[in-house]
Amino acid sequence: MTEAAPVVTLDGPSGSGKGTISRAVAQQAGWHLLDSGALYRLVAYAGADHRLDAADVEGHARLAISMQVTFGVGPDGSEQVLLEGRDVTQAIRTETAGQGASRVAAWPAVRAALLERQRAFARPPGLVADGRDMGTVVFPQARLKVYLTASAEERALRRYKQLKEKGAGVSLAALSREITERDARDSTRAVAPLIPAPGAEVIDSTGLPIEAVVGRVLELGARRSLWPPRT
Ligand code: DC
């Protein structure tokens, strides 16, 4: 595979902080960002929208190829996700949407349908890719692979705070159960399960502030000459 641009991958379970860390690293490096989880969330969302049968694998795979998605920035500077021109930023972030994503993500046909769409994000000057199989399947040639994790309790608490901030009515106990269930499904599926890529740098972010984790990833990238060292 020829390299269109250098890639840094960040894989890990829900609530490990991948999204926040990936965004910060991409911003500081001036690189593009791929939130691959959003694509799986969009497939599940679009499927429900089209009233597809929940078990219709081919229908969901077709949507994975045909759906029109725009990742942009809203008027207030925050991230914005448009599906067929409709703002679905909040709608795809609920835990229910996460569960739907995890379900369609277990189907090989959907994963295959999203492969090229994901690889197309690798454009100069570089890409930070956030997901579950970025380093193992989608970008095996990545210059730096990070596997980010944290204790199950801390991950549930982070997701709880995140969803609360967005005004969602959630219970910590229910969220913990759902996250455990989703992790189990993502880690045990037959295709592209969540596992650290060979050669991945494993970072356990339990108890670490965001800046410390971002600093560690930036340092690992600088060591590989992906960007200048921080002063
Ligand atoms: O990162 P996230 O919570 O937005 O991801 C939602 C679901 O999508 C996750 O539970 C599993 C699936 N997913 C995947 O299978 N592969 C990816 N690269 C990213 C997400």
Side-chain angles (χ1 to χ4, degrees):
M1 197 185 303
T2 54
E3 189 186 59
V7 177
V8 168
T9 59
L10 268 101
D11 289 306
S14 347
S16 59
K18 287 171 297 133
T20 309
I21 306 298
S22 301
R23 199 168 299 120
V25 170
Q27 196 178 19
Q28 296 206 30
W31 283 19
H32 299 285
L33 176 69
L34 166 61
D35 172 2
S36 62
L39 291 175
Y40 287 95
R41 287 169 183 265
L42 284 161
V43 172
Y45 187 88
D49 214 33
H50 283 75
R51 305 206 188 293
L52 289 188
D53 188 297
D56 181 353
V57 177
E58 287 313 315
H60 283 86
R62 272 196 298 276
L63 279 178
I65 289 177
S66 66
M67 65 183 183
Q68 295 280 334
V69 178
T70 315
F71 290 102
V73 180
D76 62 350
S78 62
E79 72 146 358
Q80 191 179 49
V81 186
L82 303 181
L83 176 65
E84 316 295 348
R86 201 151 40 99
D87 188 346
V88 295
T89 318
Q90 303 301 327
I92 62 163
R93 291 294 158 206
T94 64
E95 192 46 35
T96 309
Q99 292 289 343
S102 171
R103 213 171 36 74
V104 301
W107 295 332
V110 167
R111 304 201 72 84
L114 286 179
L115 208 51
E116 285 317 311
R117 200 186 262 268
Q118 294 176 90
R119 288 186 176 149
F121 278 78
R123 280 177 284 123
L127 175 71
V128 177
D130 153 7
R132 303 290 190 293
D133 63 339
M134 298 294 98
T136 50
V137 176
V138 182
F139 301 109
Q141 83 290 5
R143 303 276 194 93
L144 167 63
K145 299 178 183 184
V146 175
Y147 187 85
L148 196 60
T149 184
S151 72
E153 296 74 28
E154 181 149 336
R155 293 191 288 110
L157 199 59
R158 284 181 192 165
R159 285 288 293 150
Y160 176 73
K161 287 184 184 157
Q162 224 174 34
L163 291 170
K164 262 288 217 258
E165 269 166 27
K166 289 179 180 158
V170 281
S171 103
L172 182 57
L175 201 56
S176 294
R177 265 197 314 277
E178 282 168 359
I179 284 184
T180 308
E181 196 184 304
R182 186 139 72 94
D183 284 351
R185 191 192 293 124
D186 294 345
S187 308
T188 57
R189 67 183 174 218
V191 179
L194 169 65
I195 42 162
E201 301 277 353
V202 178
I203 303 178
D204 185 340
S205 69
T206 312
L208 287 181
I210 292 167
E211 305 77 54
V213 183
V214 173
R216 175 88 185 113
V217 176
L218 288 173
E219 182 194 316
L220 288 166
R223 267 201 237 154
R224 287 162 175 75
S225 307
L226 293 175
W227 42 68
R230 293 200 306 163
T231 47

